[in-house]
Amino acid sequence: MRLLTAVDQLFLLLESRKQPMHVGGLFLFEVPDTADSDFVYQLVKQMQDSDVPPSFPFNQVLEHIAFWQKDKNFDVEHHLHHVALPKPARVRELLMYVSREHGRLLDRAMPLWECHVIEGIQPENEGDPERFALYFKIHHSLVDGIAAMRLVQKSLSQSPTEPVTLPIWSLMARHRNHVNAILPSKRSIRRIIKEQISTIKPVFTELLDNLKNSGDDGYVGTFDAPMSILNKRISASRRIAAQSYDIQRFNDIADRLKISRNDVVLAVCAGAIRRYLISMDALPSKPLIAFVPMSLRTDNSVSGNQLSFVLANLGTHLDDPLRRIQLIHRSMNSGKRRFRRMNQAQVINYSVIAYAWEGINLATGLFPKKQAFNLIISHVPGSEKPLYWNGARLQSLYPASIVFNGQAMNITLASYLDKIEFGIAACSKALPHVQDMLALIEEELTLLETTSKTLEFQGITVGSESDKATKKLAP
């Protein structure tokens, strides 16, 4: 039996019918050229017939919303779903199916995850292999984004010829030599109390430092976010929009301007959101604020949530893309410098105090017009090597995260091979035509490419050589 952390419990307490608190991933595979016509059916049958029990964290079930304990009555039929879309289904139809499933709650009486294998997806281009998909969702109280990505990488193979005979949820049996690294570390009560007491002084030092720097435009406070249409109350309806972009385009812009790739990602998102809101005559006069998760993991574990957040000024009130990206860069660096001065426990406790307003607001909904931020933008590192499932090549992976009251849009992206995969989750009733964001991201990326080339020719940069030390902290 394992005690839930305060962050894990928060995701459970915030959950409602209109506000599911699970994260998901859509993984698009190409059927091997030599595969039989029933290739996908055989994959599903192999998982259904397996007598290998689920491993951590897939065998964890809630006990009184306070503990995780091992599930003794695993029912594969509850967790595994095999779906065939009417052929020839486009990615559009696939995303419609995923959008519906992403808006449905997980059953708390069972381990909090589901696996959907979806076939009938037409090839990307004529003559290309047929495709199928895996949509996997798991409750955010069990894992954070970094942990979820690690689970995916460990469940697949880096070899097209290696057979993966065990279900995805039994990956621990396949990687016995990684057991100790994946399981949560055990710490004594005495050690935890000592660690918490040691955080008091550095945390309050940083909070006082915030007051001194509150006038700096790189500093973002929890009362700075303007009201916008992104911050409406949500329904249970979801819309998932997804698209892949060449990662080298982001890297080139970052190199020309001497900033981190994550700064470029935020600038591209900021420009696209600005265009989206202008198209609806809904752009606030004050800049939008993004909540940017940052991983605090220092090991290979996959349990619970080990993350904090930086509030980033997106500069959406600025028409000039250079001024916008400069402001984003200063804002992110301010948060990174603060976190570099603290250890993991200190960062977590600092975040609990600094962002307490938003936590209270989310839990009570008393002040719907005064959000601490406007949306979440999260970047999850993926695999730099191709992944396979019994010879089926993973073509793309798209994250799908959570939205909640007052936060009707979430942008999460993952890197895979030479691509950055954008997954935009939104409440379809609060934010119509959110799929338009994909074209707007392309437009903004093209604009920043042109702008950065011009600035490089003129010898103008945004960052400096000293900023390279902060790039490793980018989420």
Side-chain angles (χ1 to χ4, degrees), residues 5-282:
T5 68
V7 176
D8 299 343
Q9 286 183 327
L10 180 63
F11 285 114
L12 291 164
L13 293 172
L14 290 177
E15 188 166 61
S16 67
R17 175 64 192 89
K18 296 181 179 180
Q19 196 166 275
M21 285 290 161
H22 52 254
V23 292
L26 175 61
F27 307 92
L28 200 55
F29 293 88
E30 292 180 334
V31 176
D33 293 333
T34 57
D36 295 332
S37 58
D38 64 346
F39 175 82
V40 177
Y41 168 76
Q42 292 299 329
L43 279 181
V44 175
K45 189 173 187 300
Q46 185 179 48
M47 291 191 290
Q48 285 177 328
D49 295 345
S50 175
D51 57 1
V52 179
S55 56
F56 182 89
F58 304 111
N59 61 357
Q60 301 293 292
V61 67
L62 273 175
E63 180 73 17
H64 303 305
I65 320 182
F67 299 93
W68 294 114
Q69 68 174 6
K70 190 173 180 179
D71 181 34
K72 299 178 181 179
N73 302 296
F74 179 69
D75 179 8
V76 67
E77 299 298 329
H78 174 81
H79 297 278
L80 177 61
H81 306 273
H82 182 199
V83 178
L85 299 177
K87 291 187 177 182
R90 300 165 296 174
V91 171
R92 172 185 171 85
E93 282 71 41
L94 171 63
L95 290 174
M96 288 175 64
Y97 173 82
V98 172
S99 296
R100 287 194 298 271
E101 291 300 321
H102 201 63
R104 294 175 179 168
L105 288 168
L106 291 165
D107 185 352
R108 292 192 181 189
M110 307 281 189
L112 293 170
W113 59 270
E114 287 181 3
C115 175
H116 299 248
V117 179
I118 310 155
E119 60 177 312
I121 306 163
Q122 68 181 15
E124 184 175 19
N125 301 298
E126 188 174 351
D128 287 349
E130 288 191 12
R131 296 183 291 179
F132 70 98
L134 168 70
Y135 166 64
F136 203 101
K137 66 179 183 180
I138 184 167
H139 205 278
H140 213 320
S141 60
L142 270 175
V143 296
D144 58 33
I146 298 291
M149 190 59 65
R150 286 179 179 172
L151 289 172
V152 172
Q153 292 184 50
K154 292 180 184 299
S155 64
L156 300 176
S157 172
Q158 294 182 3
S159 169
T161 58
E162 179 187 1
V164 180
T165 57
L166 295 174
I168 292 172
W169 51 86
S170 301
L171 63 95
M172 289 287 286
R174 179 168 171 253
H175 296 274
R176 292 185 187 278
N177 59 322
H178 294 163
V179 168
N180 291 333
I182 295 176
L183 287 172
S185 59
K186 295 181 178 179
R187 297 183 298 166
S188 67
I189 298 292
R190 182 179 178 182
R191 181 181 172 186
I192 292 172
I193 294 174
K194 183 178 179 181
E195 182 181 64
Q196 292 300 309
I197 293 175
S198 70
T199 68
I200 295 174
K201 182 178 178 180
V203 165
F204 277 94
T205 298
E206 293 300 329
L207 292 170
L208 289 174
D209 187 67
N210 284 350
L211 296 176
K212 296 176 184 177
N213 296 306
S214 59
D216 185 350
D217 65 354
Y219 170 78
V220 182
T222 53
F223 296 96
D224 292 345
M227 186 60 189
S228 75
I229 64 169
L230 300 178
N231 307 116
K232 293 181 177 180
R233 294 189 66 82
I234 62 170
S235 70
S237 300
R238 295 291 178 269
R239 181 63 187 268
I240 306 296
Q243 184 66 52
S244 301
Y245 302 88
D246 187 349
I247 200 171
Q248 192 58 46
R249 300 173 69 185
F250 292 83
N251 290 339
D252 288 344
I253 296 170
D255 289 341
R256 294 185 195 113
L257 300 180
K258 289 185 169 53
I259 57 178
S260 73
R261 185 173 70 204
N262 197 60
D263 288 343
V264 179
V265 166
L266 290 173
V268 168
C269 293
I273 293 168
R274 173 184 163 85
R275 294 168 185 258
Y276 176 70
L277 296 181
I278 287 175
S279 71
M280 295 186 286
D281 194 25

Side-chain angles (χ1 to χ4, degrees), residues 396-412:
S396 302
L397 59 91
Y398 302 111
S401 196
I402 57 177
V403 296
F404 39 86
N405 277 328
Q407 309 293 330
M409 178 188 290
N410 181 305
I411 301 177
T412 304

Side-chain angles (χ1 to χ4, degrees), residues 262 292-295 332 336 377-381 471-475:
N262 197 60
V292 183
M294 299 185 70
S295 176
M332 286 299 295
K336 292 175 187 177
I377 303 177
S378 180
H379 189 176
V380 180
K471 290 186 180 182
K472 65 181 180 180
L473 290 172

